[in-house]
Amino acid sequence: MNVARLGNKYLAETEPWKVIKTDEDRVRTILNISLQIAANIEILIEPFLPFTADKLMKMLNYGGHQWEDAGKVNLLHRGHQLNEPVLLFEKIEDEEVQAQIDKLNKSKSDNLLTTAEVAPAKENIQFEQFGAIDIRVATIIAAEKVEKTKKLLKLTVDTGIDQRTVVSGIAEFFKPEDIVGQQVSLVVNLAPREIKGILSQGMILMSENSEGKLTFVAPVANHGNGSVIR
């Protein structure tokens, strides 16, 4: 990079595009020195930017170099024929840069989720214990916040068996108006219990990721209320 900066500074200071009007011989010297710098850059970047080095080598019509040749001022000899120049790098617009940044951030986020610490499994239960749990597809038909709480919603759900009230701690993640019509998985035979003065009859199953965000565990396709989840 320092050699490249040197070459850029040299061209900017000598301004051959202006000198050509008064001193062609001086311009020949300037271009010769600039090309010798470019040939040195080709050697130096090859281990790090091999494809760019190859493009530069083809433009300079120069090959067979050795690492030890770097630093020489006569890599290109008098009368050496150059090839047609091409752009080494294309300009990258800000939108494309941002798109790549967004892509990297998403990949980073996905990797964090993938490598996040997972809670260990609970102790084994017998099949009969699992079989005793009655999980059904249900639909939320009404929802409202529970007064004087931040986390609780009072839900009215249609289980296909009946309509009942369930209190669920999901208010931090869902607005009441947004979840009306949402199908859910509901444990229908959980013993009722009173929460903040409201009798809750069942439990809605939720998935919680490593960041604590909740998502409904629900059928992928619409199922009738009361459908048994096995």
Side-chain angles (χ1 to χ4, degrees), residues 64-79:
H65 62 263
Q66 300 293 325
W67 182 256
E68 292 76 14
D69 293 331
K72 293 181 180 179
V73 296
N74 59 344
L75 295 174
L76 304 177
H77 299 291
R78 184 181 182 89

Side-chain angles (χ1 to χ4, degrees), residues 35 54-63 76 80-86:
L35 288 167
D54 186 63
K55 289 170 68 175
L56 183 55
M57 181 180 67
K58 290 176 180 176
M59 278 191 284
L60 295 175
N61 193 23
Y62 170 70
L76 304 177
H80 182 82
Q81 180 64 50
L82 301 175
N83 290 326
E84 192 73 20
V86 296

Side-chain angles (χ1 to χ4, degrees), residues 11-228:
L11 274 177
E13 290 178 349
T14 55
E15 299 181 315
W17 50 90
K18 291 183 180 179
V19 178
I20 189 67
K21 299 175 183 178
T22 57
D23 192 346
E24 290 188 11
D25 285 340
R26 173 63 180 155
V27 171
R28 291 188 181 94
T29 299
I30 294 171
L31 293 183
N32 174 62
I33 292 173
S34 299
L35 288 167
Q36 300 295 349
I37 292 173
N40 273 278
I41 291 173
E42 187 275 323
I43 296 173
L44 296 174
I45 67 171
E46 198 276 335
F48 312 102
L49 299 170
F51 300 117
T52 302
D54 186 63
K55 289 170 68 175
L56 183 55
M57 181 180 67
K58 290 176 180 176
M59 278 191 284
L60 295 175
N61 193 23
Y62 170 70
H65 62 263
Q66 300 293 325
W67 182 256
E68 292 76 14
D69 293 331
K72 293 181 180 179
V73 296
N74 59 344
L75 295 174
L76 304 177
H77 299 291
R78 184 181 182 89
H80 182 82
Q81 180 64 50
L82 301 175
N83 290 326
E84 192 73 20
V86 296
L87 287 175
L88 285 178
F89 304 101
E90 294 183 6
K91 182 181 179 181
I92 302 176
E93 300 297 339
D94 291 342
E95 293 79 6
E96 188 175 348
V97 172
Q98 188 59 51
Q100 291 299 321
I101 291 173
D102 293 343
K103 184 178 178 180
L104 287 171
N105 286 337
K106 182 179 184 305
S107 177
K108 180 180 179 181
S109 177
D110 290 345
N111 286 336
L112 286 175
L113 291 176
T114 301
T115 58
E117 187 174 331
V118 178
K122 296 181 180 180
E123 293 183 8
N124 290 344
I125 62 173
Q126 300 302 314
F127 180 81
E128 291 74 16
Q129 291 174 280
F130 175 76
I133 303 173
D134 191 352
I135 307 174
R136 303 290 183 102
V137 174
T139 301
I140 298 172
I141 58 176
E144 60 182 282
K145 289 187 176 180
V146 176
E147 292 184 1
K148 298 180 181 180
T149 69
K150 293 181 178 180
K151 297 183 178 181
L152 300 180
L153 290 183
K154 177 185 176 182
L155 310 175
T156 302
V157 296
D158 184 344
T159 68
I161 304 168
D162 55 20
Q163 291 184 5
R164 62 178 67 181
T165 298
V166 175
V167 177
S168 183
I170 59 175
E172 292 180 301
F173 302 95
F174 302 98
K175 295 179 180 179
E177 61 271 21
D178 291 341
I179 59 174
V180 174
Q182 171 71 50
Q183 282 207 312
V184 298
S185 300
L186 178 71
V187 180
V188 296
N189 64 337
L190 186 66
R193 64 170 178 160
E194 190 172 299
I195 302 175
K196 294 296 182 180
I198 303 169
L199 188 64
S200 181
Q201 299 171 288
M203 177 181 288
I204 292 175
L205 301 184
M206 307 293 293
S207 171
E208 182 179 11
N209 69 9
S210 61
E211 297 174 342
K213 183 178 180 180
L214 299 180
T215 303
F216 288 105
V217 176
V220 176
N222 190 288
H223 272 214
N225 293 332
S227 297
V228 177

